[in-house]
Amino acid sequence: MNAPSVGQSRLVIVGGTGMVGGCALRYALDHPTVGAVTAIGRSKLGISHPKLKEVLHRDFNALGSGCSGLLSGPPPPRSCFLSP
Protein backbone atom coordinates (compact mmCIF):
# COMPACT_ATOMS: atom_id res chain seq x y z
CA MET A 1 0.00 0.00 0.00
CA ASN A 2 1.33 3.43 -0.92
CA ALA A 3 1.39 6.23 1.63
CA PRO A 4 -1.15 8.98 0.93
CA SER A 5 0.18 12.18 -0.61
CA VAL A 6 -0.33 15.57 1.03
CA GLY A 7 -3.99 16.51 0.80
CA GLN A 8 -5.20 12.92 0.39
CA SER A 9 -7.38 11.14 2.92
CA ARG A 10 -6.77 7.82 4.61
CA LEU A 11 -9.94 5.78 5.23
CA VAL A 12 -10.76 2.81 7.45
CA ILE A 13 -13.74 0.74 6.30
CA VAL A 14 -15.19 -2.10 8.36
CA GLY A 15 -17.56 -4.41 6.53
CA GLY A 16 -16.36 -3.92 2.95
CA THR A 17 -17.67 -7.29 1.73
CA GLY A 18 -21.35 -6.37 1.94
CA MET A 19 -23.42 -4.48 -0.61
CA VAL A 20 -23.10 -1.00 0.92
CA GLY A 21 -19.58 -1.48 2.27
CA GLY A 22 -18.38 -2.90 -1.05
CA CYS A 23 -19.78 0.11 -2.90
CA ALA A 24 -18.11 2.50 -0.44
CA LEU A 25 -14.83 0.60 -0.77
CA ARG A 26 -14.81 0.68 -4.59
CA TYR A 27 -15.74 4.37 -4.58
CA ALA A 28 -12.92 5.17 -2.15
CA LEU A 29 -10.35 3.21 -4.15
CA ASP A 30 -11.32 5.01 -7.36
CA HIS A 31 -11.53 8.50 -5.82
CA PRO A 32 -8.44 10.68 -6.45
CA THR A 33 -8.57 12.44 -3.06
CA VAL A 34 -8.31 9.12 -1.19
CA GLY A 35 -4.71 8.02 -0.85
CA ALA A 36 -5.06 4.87 1.28
CA VAL A 37 -7.84 2.56 2.41
CA THR A 38 -7.65 0.01 5.22
CA ALA A 39 -10.46 -2.55 5.03
CA ILE A 40 -11.12 -4.58 8.19
CA GLY A 41 -13.30 -7.64 7.78
CA ARG A 42 -13.94 -11.24 8.74
CA SER A 43 -13.39 -12.59 5.23
CA LYS A 44 -11.15 -11.76 2.27
CA LEU A 45 -12.32 -9.10 -0.17
CA GLY A 46 -11.00 -10.89 -3.22
CA ILE A 47 -9.58 -7.71 -4.77
CA SER A 48 -6.21 -6.02 -4.83
CA HIS A 49 -5.43 -2.35 -5.33
CA PRO A 50 -2.35 -0.20 -4.67
CA LYS A 51 -4.32 1.94 -2.18
CA LEU A 52 -5.77 -1.04 -0.30
CA LYS A 53 -4.55 -2.68 2.90
CA GLU A 54 -6.72 -5.59 3.96
CA VAL A 55 -6.90 -6.74 7.59
CA LEU A 56 -8.68 -9.97 8.52
CA HIS A 57 -10.11 -9.87 12.02
CA ARG A 58 -12.30 -12.79 13.05
CA ASP A 59 -13.43 -11.52 16.48
CA PHE A 60 -15.09 -8.10 16.39
CA ASN A 61 -15.65 -8.30 20.16
CA ALA A 62 -11.87 -7.86 20.49
CA LEU A 63 -11.48 -5.31 17.70
CA GLY A 64 -9.56 -2.75 19.77
CA SER A 65 -6.85 -5.16 20.84
CA GLY A 66 -5.78 -6.11 17.33
CA CYS A 67 -6.47 -2.96 15.36
CA SER A 68 -5.27 -0.05 17.48
CA GLY A 69 -2.11 0.37 15.37
CA LEU A 70 -4.17 0.83 12.21
CA LEU A 71 -5.39 4.21 13.36
CA SER A 72 -1.97 5.71 14.00
CA GLY A 73 0.32 7.54 11.62
CA PRO A 74 -0.12 10.54 9.37
CA PRO A 75 -2.54 11.59 8.08
CA PRO A 76 -5.13 10.62 10.69
CA PRO A 77 -7.74 8.34 9.11
CA ARG A 78 -11.28 9.31 8.34
CA SER A 79 -13.38 6.33 9.35
CA CYS A 80 -16.35 4.70 7.70
CA PHE A 81 -17.73 1.99 9.94
CA LEU A 82 -20.37 -0.19 8.32
CA SER A 83 -22.31 -3.20 9.50
CA PRO A 84 -20.36 -6.40 8.84
Side-chain angles (χ1 to χ4, degrees):
M1 178 177 75
N2 298 332
S5 300
V6 174
Q8 288 186 316
S9 297
R10 188 166 61 108
L11 301 179
V12 176
I13 297 178
V14 177
T17 57
M19 184 180 75
V20 174
C23 183
L25 176 64
R26 288 186 301 277
Y27 180 83
L29 292 174
D30 290 338
H31 203 279
T33 64
V34 176
V37 178
T38 301
I40 303 171
R42 290 184 295 230
S43 59
K44 286 191 148 285
L45 294 169
I47 62 171
S48 64
H49 193 282
K51 295 181 186 180
L52 179 63
K53 177 180 179 180
E54 187 173 359
V55 176
L56 293 179
H57 198 52
R58 302 277 181 212
D59 185 4
F60 279 85
N61 290 321
L63 186 62
S65 66
C67 297
S68 59
L70 298 174
L71 302 178
S72 62
R78 298 174 189 250
S79 298
C80 176
F81 290 99
L82 305 168
S83 286

mmCIF file of all heavy atoms in Angstrom, residues 5-26:
data_model
loop_
_atom_site.group_PDB
_atom_site.id
_atom_site.type_symbol
_atom_site.label_atom_id
_atom_site.label_comp_id
_atom_site.label_asym_id
_atom_site.label_seq_id
_atom_site.Cartn_x
_atom_site.Cartn_y
_atom_site.Cartn_z
ATOM 1 N N SER A 5 -0.507 10.917 -0.359
ATOM 2 C CA SER A 5 0.180 12.182 -0.607
ATOM 3 C C SER A 5 -0.457 13.281 0.227
ATOM 4 O O SER A 5 -1.547 13.108 0.772
ATOM 5 C CB SER A 5 0.066 12.551 -2.089
ATOM 6 O OG SER A 5 0.640 11.560 -2.887
ATOM 7 N N VAL A 6 0.218 14.417 0.309
ATOM 8 C CA VAL A 6 -0.325 15.567 1.030
ATOM 9 C C VAL A 6 -1.673 15.937 0.427
ATOM 10 O O VAL A 6 -1.818 16.009 -0.789
ATOM 11 C CB VAL A 6 0.654 16.757 0.956
ATOM 12 C CG1 VAL A 6 0.043 17.997 1.568
ATOM 13 C CG2 VAL A 6 1.966 16.407 1.625
ATOM 14 N N GLY A 7 -2.658 16.144 1.271
ATOM 15 C CA GLY A 7 -3.989 16.511 0.804
ATOM 16 C C GLY A 7 -4.894 15.325 0.525
ATOM 17 O O GLY A 7 -6.070 15.503 0.247
ATOM 18 N N GLN A 8 -4.364 14.098 0.601
ATOM 19 C CA GLN A 8 -5.195 12.922 0.387
ATOM 20 C C GLN A 8 -5.649 12.347 1.724
ATOM 21 O O GLN A 8 -4.954 12.448 2.721
ATOM 22 C CB GLN A 8 -4.431 11.853 -0.396
ATOM 23 C CG GLN A 8 -4.221 12.208 -1.846
ATOM 24 C CD GLN A 8 -3.590 11.060 -2.605
ATOM 25 O OE1 GLN A 8 -2.659 10.432 -2.123
ATOM 26 N NE2 GLN A 8 -4.091 10.814 -3.789
ATOM 27 N N SER A 9 -6.807 11.736 1.716
ATOM 28 C CA SER A 9 -7.378 11.141 2.916
ATOM 29 C C SER A 9 -6.949 9.692 3.060
ATOM 30 O O SER A 9 -6.628 9.026 2.083
ATOM 31 C CB SER A 9 -8.905 11.171 2.855
ATOM 32 O OG SER A 9 -9.382 12.484 2.822
ATOM 33 N N ARG A 10 -6.981 9.231 4.298
ATOM 34 C CA ARG A 10 -6.769 7.822 4.607
ATOM 35 C C ARG A 10 -8.055 7.338 5.260
ATOM 36 O O ARG A 10 -8.527 7.921 6.236
ATOM 37 C CB ARG A 10 -5.592 7.670 5.567
ATOM 38 C CG ARG A 10 -5.173 6.245 5.813
ATOM 39 C CD ARG A 10 -3.805 6.182 6.490
ATOM 40 N NE ARG A 10 -3.781 6.838 7.770
ATOM 41 C CZ ARG A 10 -3.718 6.191 8.940
ATOM 42 N NH1 ARG A 10 -3.669 4.885 8.980
ATOM 43 N NH2 ARG A 10 -3.674 6.870 10.070
ATOM 44 N N LEU A 11 -8.659 6.269 4.733
ATOM 45 C CA LEU A 11 -9.936 5.779 5.234
ATOM 46 C C LEU A 11 -9.787 4.416 5.872
ATOM 47 O O LEU A 11 -8.946 3.613 5.448
ATOM 48 C CB LEU A 11 -10.962 5.655 4.102
ATOM 49 C CG LEU A 11 -11.311 6.913 3.326
ATOM 50 C CD1 LEU A 11 -12.311 6.576 2.230
ATOM 51 C CD2 LEU A 11 -11.869 7.974 4.236
ATOM 52 N N VAL A 12 -10.629 4.141 6.868
ATOM 53 C CA VAL A 12 -10.765 2.813 7.451
ATOM 54 C C VAL A 12 -12.210 2.393 7.236
ATOM 55 O O VAL A 12 -13.132 3.101 7.644
ATOM 56 C CB VAL A 12 -10.434 2.817 8.963
ATOM 57 C CG1 VAL A 12 -10.689 1.445 9.562
ATOM 58 C CG2 VAL A 12 -8.998 3.255 9.191
ATOM 59 N N ILE A 13 -12.397 1.253 6.572
ATOM 60 C CA ILE A 13 -13.741 0.741 6.302
ATOM 61 C C ILE A 13 -13.861 -0.632 6.948
ATOM 62 O O ILE A 13 -13.039 -1.511 6.714
ATOM 63 C CB ILE A 13 -14.021 0.646 4.787
ATOM 64 C CG1 ILE A 13 -13.978 2.042 4.160
ATOM 65 C CG2 ILE A 13 -15.356 -0.038 4.528
ATOM 66 C CD1 ILE A 13 -14.195 2.056 2.659
ATOM 67 N N VAL A 14 -14.890 -0.806 7.754
ATOM 68 C CA VAL A 14 -15.191 -2.097 8.358
ATOM 69 C C VAL A 14 -16.452 -2.621 7.698
ATOM 70 O O VAL A 14 -17.468 -1.934 7.663
ATOM 71 C CB VAL A 14 -15.398 -1.964 9.888
ATOM 72 C CG1 VAL A 14 -15.780 -3.308 10.499
ATOM 73 C CG2 VAL A 14 -14.142 -1.414 10.542
ATOM 74 N N GLY A 15 -16.395 -3.818 7.171
ATOM 75 C CA GLY A 15 -17.559 -4.409 6.527
ATOM 76 C C GLY A 15 -17.585 -4.158 5.031
ATOM 77 O O GLY A 15 -18.647 -3.928 4.460
ATOM 78 N N GLY A 16 -16.442 -4.203 4.383
ATOM 79 C CA GLY A 16 -16.363 -3.916 2.952
ATOM 80 C C GLY A 16 -16.778 -5.048 2.041
ATOM 81 O O GLY A 16 -16.694 -4.919 0.822
ATOM 82 N N THR A 17 -17.245 -6.190 2.587
ATOM 83 C CA THR A 17 -17.670 -7.294 1.732
ATOM 84 C C THR A 17 -19.161 -7.258 1.436
ATOM 85 O O THR A 17 -19.622 -7.954 0.542
ATOM 86 C CB THR A 17 -17.330 -8.660 2.374
ATOM 87 O OG1 THR A 17 -17.951 -8.737 3.658
ATOM 88 C CG2 THR A 17 -15.833 -8.844 2.499
ATOM 89 N N GLY A 18 -19.911 -6.463 2.174
ATOM 90 C CA GLY A 18 -21.355 -6.366 1.942
ATOM 91 C C GLY A 18 -21.692 -5.429 0.797
ATOM 92 O O GLY A 18 -20.810 -4.828 0.165
ATOM 93 N N MET A 19 -22.973 -5.292 0.509
ATOM 94 C CA MET A 19 -23.420 -4.478 -0.613
ATOM 95 C C MET A 19 -23.033 -3.002 -0.438
ATOM 96 O O MET A 19 -22.396 -2.403 -1.298
ATOM 97 C CB MET A 19 -24.932 -4.590 -0.792
ATOM 98 C CG MET A 19 -25.441 -3.822 -2.009
ATOM 99 S SD MET A 19 -27.214 -3.962 -2.230
ATOM 100 C CE MET A 19 -27.807 -2.878 -0.946
ATOM 101 N N VAL A 20 -23.376 -2.412 0.690
ATOM 102 C CA VAL A 20 -23.099 -0.995 0.921
ATOM 103 C C VAL A 20 -21.605 -0.769 1.156
ATOM 104 O O VAL A 20 -21.000 0.133 0.583
ATOM 105 C CB VAL A 20 -23.935 -0.465 2.113
ATOM 106 C CG1 VAL A 20 -23.552 0.957 2.449
ATOM 107 C CG2 VAL A 20 -25.416 -0.554 1.792
ATOM 108 N N GLY A 21 -21.007 -1.612 2.000
ATOM 109 C CA GLY A 21 -19.577 -1.481 2.275
ATOM 110 C C GLY A 21 -18.725 -1.696 1.040
ATOM 111 O O GLY A 21 -17.726 -1.008 0.832
ATOM 112 N N GLY A 22 -19.114 -2.647 0.195
ATOM 113 C CA GLY A 22 -18.376 -2.905 -1.047
ATOM 114 C C GLY A 22 -18.449 -1.719 -1.995
ATOM 115 O O GLY A 22 -17.463 -1.365 -2.647
ATOM 116 N N CYS A 23 -19.613 -1.086 -2.062
ATOM 117 C CA CYS A 23 -19.776 0.105 -2.902
ATOM 118 C C CYS A 23 -18.914 1.248 -2.368
ATOM 119 O O CYS A 23 -18.228 1.931 -3.138
ATOM 120 C CB CYS A 23 -21.246 0.506 -2.954
ATOM 121 S SG CYS A 23 -21.580 1.914 -4.030
ATOM 122 N N ALA A 24 -18.921 1.449 -1.051
ATOM 123 C CA ALA A 24 -18.106 2.500 -0.437
ATOM 124 C C ALA A 24 -16.622 2.225 -0.664
ATOM 125 O O ALA A 24 -15.844 3.146 -0.951
ATOM 126 C CB ALA A 24 -18.407 2.601 1.055
ATOM 127 N N LEU A 25 -16.225 0.970 -0.567
ATOM 128 C CA LEU A 25 -14.830 0.597 -0.773
ATOM 129 C C LEU A 25 -14.392 0.876 -2.206
ATOM 130 O O LEU A 25 -13.353 1.499 -2.440
ATOM 131 C CB LEU A 25 -14.632 -0.878 -0.434
ATOM 132 C CG LEU A 25 -13.241 -1.443 -0.679
ATOM 133 C CD1 LEU A 25 -12.217 -0.760 0.210
ATOM 134 C CD2 LEU A 25 -13.239 -2.943 -0.458
ATOM 135 N N ARG A 26 -15.165 0.444 -3.178
ATOM 136 C CA ARG A 26 -14.815 0.677 -4.591
ATOM 137 C C ARG A 26 -14.775 2.172 -4.909
ATOM 138 O O ARG A 26 -13.890 2.646 -5.613
ATOM 139 C CB ARG A 26 -15.794 -0.052 -5.510
ATOM 140 C CG ARG A 26 -15.594 -1.562 -5.500
ATOM 141 C CD ARG A 26 -16.456 -2.278 -6.524
ATOM 142 N NE ARG A 26 -17.881 -2.049 -6.332
ATOM 143 C CZ ARG A 26 -18.645 -2.726 -5.485
ATOM 144 N NH1 ARG A 26 -18.113 -3.663 -4.729
ATOM 145 N NH2 ARG A 26 -19.927 -2.469 -5.377
#
